[in-house]
């Protein structure tokens, strides 16, 4: 899976936001607000990666139970799907 | 070629339209330093011709777009669709899509505060971060009312106008304001330009207070 092309991640106040860089993108008006962990997951998905590879990278990075990371990552992926930002 | 200075950015430009030249007259400067060259070429005006028939409008819109792109890409600023007023040294922006009530609010502010309030620009003021200060400048693109003057002030607050069941004003977070800020800021087409605009909005979030102003 991979994020759709034409979006960028940028810092805004204490968070990160992702928004379209192409006015003709499928969901050009979508603005996704992310925390630091969300921004890390976003960067993982900027290049093609499998679900299990992404979970592996997250468990390397964060000192948290794998089940909790899986639940959070699943929720993050669902948000991306709702905004039409994910190619699977 | 005459030289101009808008938001402390110098540029040289030779007009095709006399009407546009007169509109830029308050921004003409005597400096010999030419600054950036904003001479329009075919590709700058081509897009505008698709939906505008007036040559004056076409040139004005194309010049506005070119200046706005350079402003964001090179000078740490954005052209922000709003009505900008100042009271003393502090500037206040009233942001809304066309037709929601910017002009009406300017009229009400003048009626309430008289000469204490000055209109910096009624449609497209320029915002720039200068020495860690968020400044609001006048521009020649003053909307259909042609309301504004060549002055500047320090940004204090942004009021986002909306239609509401009753008159109301509440403070909102920069995150709540963000979709409106993105919509009102002139975004360059280039990816680097968009990144520059977002970096600017990040500075704006730190410098200003944001309010949602609902009016019947």
């Amino acid at each position: 899976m991979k994020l759709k092309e034409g979006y960028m991640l940028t810092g805004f106040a204490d968070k990160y936001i992702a928004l379209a860089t192409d006015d003709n993108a499928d969901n050009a008006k979508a603005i996704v607000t992310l925390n630091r962990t969300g921004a890390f997951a976003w960067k993982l998905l900027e290049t093609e990666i499998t679900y299990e590879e992404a979970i592996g990278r997250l468990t390397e990075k964060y000192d948290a139970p794998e089940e909790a990371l899986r639940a959070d990552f699943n929720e993050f992926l669902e948000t991306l799907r709702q905004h039409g930002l994910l190619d699977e | 070629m005459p030289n101009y200075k808008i938001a402390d950015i110098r540029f040289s430009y030779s007009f095709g339209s006399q009407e546009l030249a007169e509109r830029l007259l308050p921004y003409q400067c005597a400096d010999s330093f030419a600054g950036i060259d904003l001479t329009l070429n075919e590709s700058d005006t081509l897009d505008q011709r698709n939906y505008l028939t007036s040559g004056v409008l076409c040139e004005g819109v194309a010049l506005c777009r070119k200046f706005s792109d350079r402003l964001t890409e090179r000078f740490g600023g954005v052209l922000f669709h709003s009505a900008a007023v100042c009271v003393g040294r502090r500037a206040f922006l009233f942001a809304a899509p066309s037709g929601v009530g910017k002009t009406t609010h300017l009229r009400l502010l003048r009626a309430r505060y008289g000469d204490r309030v000055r209109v910096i620009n009624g449609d497209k003021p320029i915002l720039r971060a200068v020495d860690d200060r968020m400044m609001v400048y006048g521009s020649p693109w003053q909307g259909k009312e042609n309301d504004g003057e060549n002055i500047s002030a320090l940004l204090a607050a942004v009021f986002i106008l909306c239609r509401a069941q009753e008159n109301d004003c509440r403070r909102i977070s920069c995150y709540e304001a963000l979709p409106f800020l993105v919509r009102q800021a002139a975004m360059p087409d280039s990816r680097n330009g968009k990144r520059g605009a977002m970096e600017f909005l990040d500075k704006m979030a730190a410098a200003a207070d944001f309010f949602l102003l609902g009016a019947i």
Side-chain angles (χ1 to χ4, degrees):
Chain A
M1 59 188 165
K2 184 175 179 294
L3 286 166
K4 287 196 170 168
E5 298 289 339
Y7 294 85
M8 70 174 179
L9 185 68
T10 179
F12 181 74
D14 294 329
K15 296 186 180 177
Y16 293 84
I17 60 160
L19 82 166
T21 55
D22 179 355
D23 292 340
N24 298 315
D26 288 348
N27 200 348
K29 302 298 176 197
I31 298 174
V32 183
T33 306
L34 304 165
N35 60 19
R36 191 178 294 270
T37 314
F40 180 77
W42 178 279
K43 284 174 187 163
L44 288 179
L45 292 165
E46 284 181 335
T47 51
E48 184 69 39
I49 192 167
T50 68
Y51 177 84
E52 289 302 330
E53 283 169 345
I55 292 293
R57 297 285 300 279
L58 284 163
T59 50
E60 280 171 22
K61 172 86 175 171
Y62 296 103
D63 184 21
E66 186 178 322
E67 283 313 302
L69 283 173
R70 280 182 187 273
D72 287 350
F73 189 55
N74 290 344
E75 192 179 328
F76 178 68
L77 292 176
E78 195 49 43
T79 303
L80 296 181
R81 288 187 190 103
Q82 283 169 9
H83 285 88
L85 299 177
L86 200 60
D87 272 335
E88 295 180 275
Chain B
M1 197 183 291
N3 294 330
Y4 298 89
K5 187 165 74 173
I6 298 175
D8 283 332
I9 298 167
R10 290 178 176 80
F11 69 94
S12 53
Y13 185 75
S14 184
F15 286 92
S17 142
Q18 186 57 32
E19 186 183 328
L20 202 57
E22 285 169 13
R23 188 166 289 196
L24 252 90
L25 214 49
Y27 296 88
Q28 197 163 355
C29 65
D31 300 2
S32 56
F33 174 60
I36 57 174
D37 182 7
L38 289 184
T39 303
L40 298 176
N41 55 40
E42 187 72 11
S43 66
D44 291 322
T45 54
L46 207 57
D47 287 347
Q48 317 302 337
R49 286 201 185 115
N50 290 337
Y51 60 90
L52 291 171
T53 52
S54 156
V56 177
L57 261 180
C58 175
E59 187 183 4
V61 172
L63 180 63
C64 177
R65 182 67 199 232
K66 191 156 188 167
F67 178 86
S68 169
D69 285 355
R70 297 293 179 277
L71 167 72
T72 304
E73 289 161 358
R74 292 176 51 183
F75 294 98
V78 300
L79 192 132
F80 195 78
H81 185 206
S82 61
V85 303
C86 66
V87 180
R89 294 276 302 134
R90 303 177 76 204
F92 302 87
L93 303 183
F94 293 84
S98 298
V100 172
K102 292 192 296 290
T103 305
T104 303
H105 272 84
L106 290 189
R107 188 163 38 83
L108 292 170
L109 285 166
R110 277 183 167 131
R112 174 69 178 80
Y113 295 103
D115 291 343
R116 286 179 60 206
V117 62
R118 291 172 76 182
V119 176
I120 300 174
N121 186 289
D123 193 52
K124 292 184 178 70
I126 290 163
L127 312 186
R128 278 188 77 194
V130 181
D131 299 332
D132 291 332
R133 294 188 309 161
M134 185 61 61
M135 300 300 295
V136 181
Y137 295 87
S139 85
W141 300 286
Q142 300 184 147
K144 59 182 184 294
E145 315 290 334
N146 199 22
D147 201 356
E149 52 186 313
N150 185 7
I151 55 175
S152 63
L154 195 65
L155 177 64
V158 180
F159 292 87
I160 294 157
L161 304 183
C162 63
R163 295 254 164 80
Q165 296 295 317
E166 55 187 32
N167 293 330
D168 183 45
C169 184
R170 69 177 173 91
R171 190 167 179 167
I172 59 174
S173 71
C174 61
Y175 304 109
E176 200 175 342
L178 179 63
F180 298 97
L181 304 183
V182 170
R183 189 181 64 196
Q184 300 304 113
M187 289 277 176
D189 285 335
S190 70
R191 188 180 175 87
N192 277 346
K194 284 196 170 67
R195 188 166 289 284
M198 290 312 303
E199 286 169 0
F200 180 84
L201 293 184
D202 180 40
K203 290 177 186 164
M204 192 175 166
D209 294 321
F210 300 94
F211 297 89
L212 194 62
L213 182 58
I216 298 170

